[in-house]
């Protein structure tokens, strides 16, 4: 039987079935557990949770004065005949609280904060030599997926904000969110999307087998230290192999997220089609979040700067897949060709850290008229002329694209005239 009690009435030996507000408000990573430690009892009482639901069949109960039926018990009582000798008291519904407006960023931050507690607890247990409890992370992946579906931009923005002490945990959450969003954009089956979310959460679990001092080192790692760190995919894979019920894609991503498309990655040196779609996706998501995050030894790159540099790394990524990733997050790198809502082509010339999806662009081609126009700069905002999608210069202009791009980017805005459209722009 389930009984709801005030948190202040909790005592050791109780089996906690649920907490008010759901697992997202809980200070514990387990959904159901026995209160068998004084420290856990103290943590629960100090958590700010008003009520908990306990299972009397699995643990001790409260005093008679403290107990009242839980939701499940109330439903059972509503459909059962009440004995004539007993008066059934129907609990009054709780007072309706005044709703206050909550921004998408606040919602996303709440999901990240709650997920962080569970992921950190899980990773800490693995560091102590305990097995990975994958079932405890499944609801975390589900909540991240719901948050991404509700407002992907808010979730991706929030996960970029990490402190030094929480980097490993929030990085895992961020990669999970990026993979989920990427998979949704690619229209992968729902079960694959869910599995990729779990893969993102666990892709760096092998770092728990790396000395903490090495992970927290404020400067760049020396070659011997880097050699130790490079074993984390294999160590993580070995940890996860213990669970035979784990989706294969989780093991695949854990082992291969540091591989490169040209075969120069690690630990196996796989290349091209030897890498699964999931491995190629995770490589992009892992690097993107890493370079846009604050690290002890470098400043974070802006999203636009990061994508621009990633596109310039020959052989690192599957180029077509990287372009799909850029399209999925709606942030276009400097130098990228885009189509505006007005059916004009433009090149991104400057990123916008405050609004990454609204960079400064240089317009130069009218698609309906099929002609070049005098290049001029504008902010690709919703109010002016937003970006519709990314385009490929070679597909539009063939071998002439390199010369066209160089001419468009070569002159300052004040010196441009219609005469510039002569020569290569003709």
């Amino acid at each position: 039987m389930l009984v709801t009690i005030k948190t202040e009435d909790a005592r050791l030996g109780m089996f906690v079935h649920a907490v008010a507000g759901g697992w997202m408000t809980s200070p514990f990573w387990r959904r159901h557990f026995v209160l068998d430690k004084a420290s856990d009892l103290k943590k629960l009482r100090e958590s700010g949770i008003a009520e908990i639901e306990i299972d009397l069949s699995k643990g001790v109960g409260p005093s008679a004065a403290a107990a009242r039926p839980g939701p499940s018990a109330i439903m059972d009582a509503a459909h059962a005949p009440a004995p004539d000798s007993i008066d059934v008291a129907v609990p009054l519904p709780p007072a309706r609280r005044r709703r206050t407006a909550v921004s998408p960023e606040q919602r996303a931050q709440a999901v990240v904060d709650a997920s962080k507690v569970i992921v950190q607890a899980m990773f800490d247990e693995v560091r102590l030599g305990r097995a990975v409890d994958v079932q405890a992370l499944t609801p975390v992946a589900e909540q991240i997926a719901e948050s991404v579906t509700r407002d992907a931009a808010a979730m991706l923005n929030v996960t970029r904000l990490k402190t030094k002490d929480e980097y490993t945990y929030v990085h895992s959450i961020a990669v999970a969110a990026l993979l989920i969003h990427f998979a949704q954009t690619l229209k992968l089956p729902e079960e694959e999307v869910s599995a990729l979310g779990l893969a993102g959460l666990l892709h760096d679990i092998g770092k728990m087998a790396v000395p903490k001092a090495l992970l927290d080192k404020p400067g760049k790692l020396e070659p011997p230290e880097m050699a130790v760190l490079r074993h984390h995919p294999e160590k993580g894979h070995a940890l996860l192999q213990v669970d035979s019920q784990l989706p294969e894609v989780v093991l695949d991503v854990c082992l291969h997220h540091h591989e490169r498309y040209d075969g120069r990655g690690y630990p196996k040196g796989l290349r091209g089609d030897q890498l699964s779609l999931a491995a190629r996706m995770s490589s992009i998501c892992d690097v993107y979040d890493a370079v846009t995050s604050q690290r002890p030894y470098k400043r974070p790159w802006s999203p636009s700067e990061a994508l621009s540099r990633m596109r310039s790394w020959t052989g690192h990524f599957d180029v077509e897949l990287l372009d799909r990733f850029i399209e999925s997050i709606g942030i276009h790198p400097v130098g990228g060709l885009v189509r505006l809502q007005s059916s004009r082509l433009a090149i991104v010339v400057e990123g916008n850290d405050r609004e990454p999806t609204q960079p400064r662009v240089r317009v130069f081609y009218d698609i309906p008229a099929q002609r070049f126009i005098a290049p001029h700069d504008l902010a690709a905002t919703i109010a002016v002329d937003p970006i519709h999608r990314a385009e490929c210069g070679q597909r539009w202009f063939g071998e002439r694209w390199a010369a066209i791009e160089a001419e468009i980017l070569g002159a300052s805005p004040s010196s441009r005239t219609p005469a510039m459209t002569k020569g290569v722009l003709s």
Side-chain angles (χ1 to χ4, degrees), residues 19-347:
V19 299
W23 72 269
M24 294 296 291
T25 63
S26 174
F28 306 99
W29 62 267
R30 293 167 294 173
R31 303 188 81 178
H32 317 297
F33 57 95
V34 177
L35 271 175
D36 55 2
K37 297 178 183 177
S39 59
D40 284 349
L41 180 59
K42 182 174 183 289
K43 184 190 296 185
L44 179 63
R45 287 175 173 170
E46 294 176 350
S47 66
I49 295 171
E51 296 179 328
I52 61 172
E53 193 174 47
I54 61 173
D55 190 336
L56 298 183
S57 66
K58 298 179 180 179
V60 302
S63 63
R68 65 180 176 83
S72 302
I74 293 172
M75 290 299 295
D76 293 341
H79 295 285
D84 293 338
S85 59
I86 298 178
D87 292 328
V88 179
V90 179
L92 295 175
R96 184 171 297 178
R97 296 178 180 177
R98 180 178 296 177
R99 294 185 178 181
T100 56
V102 178
S103 71
E105 286 73 20
Q106 289 173 316
R107 287 181 180 275
Q109 188 64 63
V111 172
V112 171
D113 288 344
S115 300
K116 182 172 60 181
V117 171
I118 297 172
V119 172
Q120 183 171 357
M122 170 75 67
F123 279 28
D124 287 348
E125 293 213 349
V126 171
R127 190 179 286 282
L128 292 173
R130 296 174 186 144
V132 178
D133 185 355
V134 175
Q135 288 187 343
L137 285 182
T138 300
V140 180
E142 291 172 355
Q143 287 291 330
I144 293 171
E146 288 178 14
S147 184
V148 168
T149 302
R150 183 168 55 241
D151 195 318
M155 187 65 174
L156 300 184
N157 285 338
V158 165
T159 52
R160 285 178 57 208
L161 307 175
K162 309 174 183 67
T163 65
K164 183 182 102 172
D165 295 335
E166 66 184 14
Y167 175 80
T168 298
Y169 316 117
V170 181
H171 173 66
S172 297
I173 296 167
V175 172
L178 286 165
L179 277 171
I180 288 169
H181 186 52
F182 197 4
Q184 290 175 339
T185 302
L186 296 177
K187 301 188 185 307
L188 299 184
E190 187 174 343
E191 60 272 17
E192 291 184 30
V193 176
S194 299
L196 281 168
L198 191 57
L201 288 173
L202 289 168
H203 80 285
D204 264 347
I205 192 70
K207 285 186 176 179
M208 297 304 99
V210 175
K212 198 168 186 303
L214 200 63
L215 295 177
D216 295 339
K217 184 177 178 180
K220 286 190 176 182
L221 300 182
E222 299 297 327
E225 295 172 324
M226 182 59 74
V228 172
L229 182 63
R230 284 193 169 199
H231 283 299
H232 81 266
E234 295 160 299
K235 292 181 180 295
H237 186 262
L239 285 169
L240 296 178
Q241 272 189 315
V242 176
D243 190 340
S244 60
Q245 303 300 314
L246 205 59
E248 182 60 35
V249 69
V250 178
L251 294 166
D252 180 24
V253 167
C254 180
L255 185 61
H256 299 304
H257 65 277
H258 281 296
E259 301 285 2
R260 288 178 44 152
Y261 200 67
D262 61 5
R264 296 168 59 190
Y266 63 90
K268 302 296 184 181
L270 303 181
R271 62 185 303 163
D273 291 341
Q274 292 178 308
L275 295 167
S276 68
L277 173 63
R280 286 175 279 145
M281 291 170 64
S282 64
S283 172
I284 293 170
C285 295
D286 179 59
V287 170
Y288 174 75
D289 182 69
V291 298
T292 56
S293 299
Q294 181 73 49
R295 304 300 299 276
Y297 50 85
K298 77 166 192 68
R299 69 169 179 84
W301 295 344
S302 71
S304 179
E305 180 185 11
L307 295 172
S308 181
R309 294 198 187 198
M310 288 169 69
R311 288 180 78 218
S312 72
W313 296 343
T314 304
H316 201 121
F317 307 107
D318 178 336
V319 176
E320 290 188 10
L321 200 59
L322 178 58
D323 285 341
R324 295 298 302 274
F325 174 76
I326 291 170
E327 182 181 334
S328 76
I329 61 176
I331 299 173
H332 301 274
V334 172
L337 180 67
V338 295
R339 180 199 291 247
L340 303 180
Q341 204 74 27
S342 61
S343 292
R344 296 182 294 173
L345 295 180
I347 295 178

Side-chain angles (χ1 to χ4, degrees), residues 3-14:
V3 172
T4 298
I5 65 170
K6 292 181 179 180
T7 303
E8 63 193 47
D9 295 322
R11 58 182 176 139
L12 293 177
M14 287 182 169

